């Protein structure tokens, strides 16, 4: 579930797909929803997203290209840090004044669909204003809910294991597709013994990794209606996480908290950590070592449970300009020049045309592209687990309670009970 690589890692990386704050506040959008248009036939649509200044600069360049192609459509922009974005969006949606088009994520689709906020873009596909052809690896279905098109992917990512390559080499460990959790934990012990650091930054709050583990075992974090696992399942997961800290193969959460916002891997107190593949660039900018992407460990040596996640563009049901909004989305996901400007800022481009248009020259982005290609070639990708209304609250709770557990503020039993209590309230179950 793709969230922003600029967003503070403990929320975005660990809760994922909801993932803490990024810097940057952009120009404020117009106060009213959907401008009625000028006398010359020009209309204005409002576009909002979360991110930092560098994303805003890239997006503004793409908007200039769009307005050049569609001179009768003007775009007013609004961007915020991640948490501020959703606070503002909630206020706008509650007041009947959401932006015409906005950046969205899988954890929010059912929530805002239930609030009657999202426009079904299927009619615009039928009208020829938006094409859903040419998407990579099944991403054209990513934003569908009950047969309705509520979001269009702009990029893809998948969970991966980011490693300090020299630390793995010194330990004599070479991760390969299909390695098991037993292989992985044996590797962490070797890294601990050879380098004097923990093998992994810890797994208390990595919700999307836990989802993959559940999927490997025939379950999932979410079903369409609620949680897809039991209190006993979560107790087992968090008990193993605690034991890993005690054994020194996972970093002490107190040390993780002390070095934030720097990652444990870049700070050289962990040999690797699980995160979204397109976040890899942050490690190179933070650390001094060489970093790479390794496969997800498996239960049976075959099934990883992985899927491609994505940020997406959604439209407001209250927009007065559905055609123009559809044309805008179509341009942003298909126009090759947009990919050349955006790069992998929001993940690997979702359409083949944009994927082919941007060929990274730096080693980090090359490795991201190669990693996703390897997932397709290995045939491990599956459909994404449905996210029910209230999923975003469950994600936040998993992160927060997992951190409290790691810091010794709760026992495993207390943490499990608290998570299920909050989740049942959020999901209405």
């Amino acid at each position: 579930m793709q969230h922003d690589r600029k967003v503070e890692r403990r929320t975005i990386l660990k809760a994922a797909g909801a993932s803490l704050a990024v810097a940057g506040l952009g120009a404020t959008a117009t106060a009213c929803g959907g401008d009625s248009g000028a006398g010359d036939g020009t209309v204005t649509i409002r576009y909002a997203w979360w991110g930092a200044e560098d994303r805003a600069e890239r997006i503004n360049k793409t908007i200039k290209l769009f307005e050049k192609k569609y001179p009768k459509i003007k775009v007013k922009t609004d961007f915020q840090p991640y948490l501020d974005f959703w606070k503002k969006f909630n206020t706008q949606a509650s007041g009947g004044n959401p932006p015409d088009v906005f950046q969205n994520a899988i954890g929010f689709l059912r929530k805002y669909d239930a609030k009657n906020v999202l426009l079904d873009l299927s009619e615009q596909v039928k009208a020829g204003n938006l094409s859903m052809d040419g998407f990579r690896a099944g991403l054209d279905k990513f934003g569908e809910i009950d047969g309705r098109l509520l979001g269009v992917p702009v990029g893809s990512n998948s969970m991966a294991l980011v490693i300090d390559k020299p630390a793995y080499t010194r330990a004599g460990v070479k991760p390969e597709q299909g390695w098991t959790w037993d292989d992985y934990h044996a590797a962490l012990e070797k890294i601990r013994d050879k380098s004097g650091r923990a093998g992994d930054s810890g797994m208390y709050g990595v919700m999307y990794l836990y989802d993959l583990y559940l999927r490997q075992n025939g379950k999932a974090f979410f079903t369409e209606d609620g949680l897809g696992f039991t209190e006993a399942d979560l107790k087992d997961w968090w008990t193993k996480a605690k034991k890993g800290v005690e054994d020194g193969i996972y970093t002490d959460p107190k040390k993780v908290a002390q070095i934030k916002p720097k990652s444990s891997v870049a700070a050289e107190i962990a040999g690797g950590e699980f995160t979204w593949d397109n976040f890899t660039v942050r490690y190179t900018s933070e650390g001094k070592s060489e970093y790479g992407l390794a496969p997800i460990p498996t239960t049976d040596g075959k099934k990883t449970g992985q899927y491609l996640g994505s940020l997406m563009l959604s439209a407001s049901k209250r927009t007065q300009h559905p055609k123009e909004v559809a044309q805008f989305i179509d341009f942003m996901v298909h126009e090759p020049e947009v990919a050349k400007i955006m790069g992998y800022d929001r993940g690997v481009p979702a359409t083949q045309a944009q994927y082919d248009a941007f060929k990274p020259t730096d080693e980090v982005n090359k490795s991201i592209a190669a990693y996703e290609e390897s997932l397709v070639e290995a045939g491990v990708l599956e459909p994404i687990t449905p996210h029910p209304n209230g999923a975003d609250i469950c994600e936040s709770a998993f992160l927060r309670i997992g951190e409290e557990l790691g810091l010794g503020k709760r026992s495993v039993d207390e943490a499990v009970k608290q998570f299920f209590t909050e989740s049942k309230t959020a999901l209405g179950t």
Side-chain angles (χ1 to χ4, degrees):
M1 331 251 57
Q2 214 230 43
H3 304 310
D4 185 357
R5 63 182 170 85
K6 295 289 184 176
V7 176
E8 205 249 300
R9 84 183 261 283
R10 297 297 289 187
T11 296
I12 256 298
L13 303 191
K14 302 281 186 191
S19 320
L20 285 166
V22 293
L25 179 63
T28 303
T30 56
C32 347
D35 292 349
S36 58
D40 62 355
T42 300
V43 301
T44 299
I45 60 174
R46 294 161 50 208
Y47 174 32
W49 69 90
W50 66 82
E53 290 286 351
D54 62 339
R55 174 173 292 178
E57 290 173 2
R58 292 172 186 265
I59 288 179
N60 285 331
K61 289 179 181 178
T62 67
I63 289 173
K64 288 181 179 178
L65 287 180
F66 173 77
E67 291 180 335
K68 184 176 180 180
K69 182 174 180 179
Y70 294 93
K72 293 294 185 180
I73 306 175
K74 301 301 178 185
V75 182
K76 288 204 171 185
T77 62
D78 182 15
F79 76 99
Q80 314 276 347
Y82 180 79
L83 295 181
D84 291 342
F85 173 89
W86 288 113
K87 288 178 183 177
K88 183 171 183 176
F89 186 85
N90 280 329
T91 300
Q92 292 173 323
S94 298
N97 184 39
D100 297 278
V101 60
F102 55 94
Q103 187 171 285
N104 204 353
I106 189 69
F108 298 93
L109 279 188
R110 288 187 183 272
K111 175 177 182 174
Y112 288 107
D113 180 38
K115 293 177 180 290
N116 205 32
V117 173
L118 304 180
L119 177 67
D120 180 3
L121 290 161
S122 300
E123 292 303 314
Q124 295 302 317
V125 175
K126 294 176 184 177
N129 298 319
L130 171 62
S131 172
M132 293 304 294
D133 295 332
F135 281 82
R136 299 171 42 243
L139 283 169
D140 55 311
K141 302 295 183 182
F142 187 78
E144 285 190 4
I145 296 290
D146 302 327
R148 291 167 296 125
L149 181 61
L150 303 181
V152 180
V154 295
S156 70
N157 59 3
S158 190
M159 285 295 293
L161 172 62
V162 175
I163 63 172
D164 183 319
K165 293 172 72 174
Y168 266 69
T169 299
R170 286 194 299 270
V173 177
K174 186 178 181 181
E176 295 181 342
Q177 190 75 40
W179 67 331
T180 66
W181 288 103
D182 288 341
D183 297 331
Y184 173 66
H185 289 118
L188 300 189
E189 292 177 356
K190 291 180 180 179
I191 293 168
R192 176 200 61 195
D193 296 342
K194 291 286 186 179
S195 66
R197 72 174 83 169
D200 187 273
S201 66
M203 295 157 62
Y204 281 110
V206 193
M207 193 207 89
Y208 282 88
L209 176 64
Y210 185 43
D211 183 35
L212 297 191
Y213 180 79
L214 289 168
R215 288 161 64 94
Q216 290 177 15
N217 290 279
K219 298 186 178 183
F221 197 97
F222 291 119
T223 66
E224 291 187 11
D225 304 315
L227 298 176
F229 60 100
T230 66
E231 292 188 24
D233 293 328
L234 183 55
K235 181 178 179 179
D236 179 66
W237 178 258
W238 272 342
T239 298
K240 289 177 179 176
K242 184 177 181 180
K243 187 177 187 303
V245 174
E246 294 169 350
D247 292 344
I249 61 173
Y250 298 152
T251 308
D252 184 340
K254 295 182 179 66
K255 292 183 179 180
V256 175
Q258 289 170 358
I259 55 96
K260 288 197 309 183
K262 195 171 187 177
S263 72
S264 299
V265 178
E268 299 185 1
I269 61 174
E273 66 182 13
F274 293 95
T275 185
W276 298 102
D277 57 16
N278 66 308
F279 294 167
T280 310
V281 66
R282 77 182 296 261
Y283 298 90
T284 301
S285 64
E286 284 183 355
K288 300 176 181 178
S289 190
E290 182 183 359
Y291 308 99
L293 292 167
I296 298 292
T298 66
T299 299
D300 62 0
K302 298 177 182 179
K303 182 181 176 69
T304 68
Q306 284 173 277
Y307 47 81
L308 290 184
S310 179
L311 288 177
M312 64 188 81
L313 295 179
S314 291
S316 165
K317 185 175 283 189
R318 297 179 68 92
T319 182
Q320 297 178 28
H321 310 296
K323 175 183 177 180
E324 288 80 4
V325 164
Q327 291 172 324
F328 176 78
I329 294 174
D330 185 85
F331 183 87
M332 290 300 170
V333 299
H334 290 290
E335 172 56 47
E337 292 301 315
V338 169
K340 294 177 182 178
I341 293 170
M342 295 304 301
Y344 288 176
D345 178 82
R346 295 178 298 190
V348 178
T351 58
Q352 193 65 43
Q354 289 196 340
Y355 180 84
D356 293 339
F358 176 71
K359 294 297 183 184
T361 55
D362 63 290
E363 292 305 314
V364 174
N365 280 316
K366 282 182 179 179
S367 70
I368 295 170
Y371 179 74
E372 292 205 3
E373 288 174 357
S374 74
L375 298 181
V376 175
E377 291 171 3
V380 299
L381 293 174
E382 305 172 4
I384 191 170
T385 306
H387 283 52
N389 180 15
D392 57 316
I393 299 174
C394 297
E395 292 180 15
S396 297
F398 192 87
L399 168 69
R400 172 174 47 80
I401 296 168
E403 286 186 335
E404 291 170 353
L405 170 60
L407 294 173
K409 296 179 180 180
R410 295 182 185 272
S411 68
V412 171
D413 286 341
E414 290 170 340
V416 170
K417 182 178 180 180
Q418 184 64 29
F419 173 75
F420 271 81
T421 297
E422 293 187 22
S423 294
K424 287 177 181 178
T425 299
L427 299 169
T429 58

